[in-house]
Amino acid sequence: MEYQSTRGGSTGVSASEAIVRGLAPDGGLYVPMSFPQADLEAWRSLPYPELAAKVVGCFLTDYDPAFLQKAAEDTYGAAFGGKAGHVEQVREGLYALELWHGPTCAFKDYALQLMPKLLVQGKKNLHRTEMTRILVATSGDTGKAALAGYAGLEGIQIAVFYPNAGTSEIQRLQMATQQGNNVAVFAVNGNFDDAQTGVKRVFADADVAAQLETRGIRLSSANSINWGRLVPQIVYYFYTYFRLAETGAMAWGQPVDFCVPTGNFGDILAGYYAKRMGLPVGRLVCASNENNVLTDFIRTGTYDARRAFHKTASPSMDILISSNLERLLYHVSGSAEKVAGWMKQLAAEGCYTVDADTLAAVQASFGCGWADDAQGAAEIRNRFEQDHYLCDTHTAVAFQVAESCRSAAPMVVLSTASPFKFPRDVLRALGGTVSESDFDAMDALTAKTGCRAPAALANLRTMPVRFTETIAPGEIRAAALR
Ligand SMILES: *Cc1c(COP(=O)(O)O)cnc(C)c1O
């Protein structure tokens, strides 16, 4: 399988190169040059790790299948507590795909537990021996998931920058207690934008690159535009379909709809790849919070990022530039030239409009909708009171949107974080009294619902804090050079 840039600049790139490089030299994203076809009959009874090795193997054809098999077993076995791809029935015809049984309790573990291994092996495949230093600016979930994925890996260092007072107590402690001798964590005095701008500046700084090169170090990022982060997410769409068919939720070959709480469009795009590989996916419903730029785009064909940014109770979806949409636009329009034009317009004017054929092709596969914080909170309460199902603030947005997009097919909502990652918001939605402490809220949530906090979150209370350094935004450069 070979890859090319969505903007046409490079073709015939290997998977190893796409993963090690991250972004194509022309600023585009790497996409596969064809869609491999699934062998549904052969795959339907495979355990999760084996299925992952098969699906990922279809795309990473320059990786040794034995390596992929071992990597998938190491990733999706014990570390997910035997619950990789776990599906719960919520009510008749409505299901939750619980993607938060991994080590950091958010769906990003599916990608960030496997991709680091793919990066290390990709460097070996290309005979590259430099040290890779990963810089991450995070508003919460990505930082911890990346730390947990890269900790202890050979040839890798990782430094994470998060906004001081910009994350929840749980999220801060998840990062500050990270083990491993190749990790560093910095609180930045400022908001997420300050941290992100500072890190972006370091990436663009030729002097930093030159200084690091003399020390044999090359910078890289862990963000969700890397192909290595996207491909592991395709697996759980297949796995879910097979589990639903097994229980008779629908006849074999009949479609299933998926509703996905969306930010950067990575998770839902993986469902589109599954569909193009031959999985009977009905509609892919894109659920947004008040930052509803994607809802407007899917309805009208105009992507307009010139709007107020809302800080919501589902912070991992607070995004106005949804990077992975570029990949979808390439696949449905088939034109790198068009994509390059739209992205140029987006950068210059903050807005672009696709042609009617492209919009029709998007609408043929995707539904959409959005919910604000109050609707999300009502959804958390309703799902718990009516179905005894407890969900987090991101998943609640998807449940709310799913209701207005139901077809005759079973509907699967992707549940992207443990409710105990956002215990104060979830407790408040259930009508509980909320104090300052996340840990008190966890206890109150357990008392109210009978659900237990995942050990990885409960244990934070007593884990030793390793990282306490706070820096100014202007000191990010020096920290990245250490
Ligand atoms: C990152 C994240 C999302 C959004 O996923 P995208 O791939 O960026 O669309 C949704 N929910 C949670 C909990 C997340 O951490």
Side-chain angles (χ1 to χ4, degrees):
M1 174 66 62
E2 294 188 325
Y3 293 79
Q4 70 163 77
S5 164
T6 47
R7 302 187 192 174
S10 26
T11 56
V13 173
S14 71
S16 299
E17 259 181 278
I19 289 170
V20 172
R21 278 206 207 146
L23 202 64
D26 64 355
L29 311 188
Y30 288 112
V31 282
M33 292 178 72
S34 61
F35 294 103
Q37 290 306 295
D39 189 345
L40 298 176
E41 287 294 344
W43 292 359
R44 65 191 287 185
S45 53
L46 294 178
Y48 197 96
E50 268 100 290
L51 180 65
K54 289 275 187 250
V55 173
V56 172
C58 285
F59 289 98
L60 307 195
T61 47
D62 56 329
Y63 284 67
D64 179 359
F67 161 80
L68 291 176
Q69 179 64 39
K70 176 156 190 330
E73 272 163 20
D74 291 348
T75 301
Y76 299 116
F80 281 73
K83 285 195 151 184
H86 181 73
V87 182
E88 279 282 332
Q89 179 160 18
V90 176
R91 56 162 63 189
E92 184 68 33
L94 181 65
Y95 301 83
L97 166 55
E98 294 183 345
L99 296 174
W100 40 264
H101 294 288
T104 80
C105 308
F107 95 95
K108 289 186 173 66
D109 285 333
Y110 279 83
L112 281 167
Q113 286 289 310
L114 184 62
M115 166 160 140
K117 302 178 182 103
L118 302 178
L119 175 62
V120 170
Q121 184 60 36
K123 282 168 69 184
K124 284 187 192 154
N125 292 348
L126 300 173
H127 309 291
R128 286 171 62 155
T129 54
E130 78 273 9
M131 172 65 70
T132 302
R133 180 172 290 188
I134 310 242
L135 304 183
V136 182
T138 180
S139 56
D141 284 348
T142 304
K144 176 59 185 183
L147 285 165
Y150 286 100
L153 285 189
E154 141 209 2
I156 307 270
Q157 303 164 333
I158 175 165
V160 169
F161 301 87
Y162 70 89
N164 198 16
T167 67
S168 76
E169 183 184 5
I170 298 281
Q171 289 176 315
R172 179 182 65 80
L173 285 172
Q174 277 191 299
M175 292 185 274
T177 57
Q178 177 64 47
Q179 304 287 304
N181 56 15
N182 63 336
V183 306
V185 178
F186 300 94
V188 177
N189 256 328
N191 59 25
F192 172 61
D193 277 338
D194 297 321
Q196 174 152 274
T197 306
V199 168
K200 278 190 175 161
R201 256 191 216 132
V202 174
F203 277 121
D205 190 327
D207 183 48
V208 170
Q211 280 190 51
L212 289 175
E213 196 177 335
T214 62
R215 291 156 58 193
I217 301 172
R218 199 179 299 201
L219 290 179
S220 180
S221 92
N223 68 22
S224 77
I225 53 170
N226 192 299
W227 178 250
R229 264 192 72 174
L230 219 139
V231 70
Q233 299 173 355
I234 301 170
V235 181
Y236 44 71
Y237 287 90
F238 282 97
Y239 192 76
T240 301
Y241 187 88
F242 299 147
R243 298 293 78 73
L244 289 190
E246 225 167 48
T247 62
M250 75 292 173
W252 180 251
Q254 291 303 302
V256 170
D257 295 338
F258 293 90
C259 184
V260 188
T262 296
N264 225 353
F265 209 75
D267 204 6
I268 193 168
L269 185 68
Y272 178 77
Y273 280 103
K275 183 172 184 164
R276 296 294 301 262
M277 290 171 76
L279 188 70
V281 173
R283 294 192 80 61
L284 291 159
V285 179
C286 174
S288 298
N289 63 24
E290 218 174 334
N291 297 293
N292 53 6
V293 59
L294 285 167
T295 314
D296 291 346
F297 171 72
I298 293 169
R299 287 198 180 137
T300 66
T302 295
Y303 193 101
D304 191 348
R306 300 167 301 180
R307 58 178 74 202
F309 175 85
H310 298 281
K311 221 169 141 26
T312 74
S314 44
S316 296
M317 299 156 70
D318 289 347
I319 287 178
L320 290 180
I321 303 288
S322 203
S323 313
N324 274 299
L325 184 65
E326 180 170 347
R327 286 193 163 106
L328 177 68
L329 293 178
Y330 173 79
H331 290 305
V332 295
S333 74
S335 166
E337 199 184 320
K338 281 184 186 171
V339 173
W342 294 324
M343 293 305 126
K344 206 170 142 194
Q345 249 185 312
L346 180 64
E349 297 156 36
C351 183
Y352 62 88
T353 300
V354 300
D355 56 276
D357 287 350
T358 298
L359 177 61
V362 169
Q363 289 174 341
S365 292
F366 290 85
C368 61
W370 66 282
D372 64 19
D373 281 356
Q375 289 172 306
E379 193 66 29
I380 290 175
R381 192 171 58 245
N382 289 339
R383 293 286 66 71
F384 187 72
E385 287 177 358
Q386 293 166 25
D387 305 318
H388 208 76
Y389 189 80
L390 187 65
C391 71
D392 94 297
T393 49
H394 302 75
T395 308
V397 168
F399 269 123
Q400 157 79 28
V401 170
E403 268 160 57
S404 57
C405 296
R406 290 295 301 275
S407 70
M411 170 63 86
V412 178
V413 165
L414 274 63
S415 177
T416 48
S418 160
F420 286 90
K421 247 192 133 161
F422 306 92
R424 300 171 75 243
D425 287 316
V426 174
L427 181 63
R428 194 179 297 114
L430 294 178
T433 313
V434 179
S435 70
E436 278 301 298
S437 156
D438 276 4
F439 292 110
D440 290 350
M442 271 196 202
D443 290 342
L445 201 51
T446 297
K448 204 168 177 61
T449 64
C451 302
R452 290 172 62 105
L457 299 180
N459 293 346
L460 288 172
R461 217 184 287 237
T462 52
M463 290 266 291
V465 171
R466 293 185 64 204
F467 299 100
T468 54
E469 193 173 348
T470 301
I471 61 174
E475 293 171 311
I476 291 177
R477 184 180 189 275
L481 275 169
R482 274 187 209 167

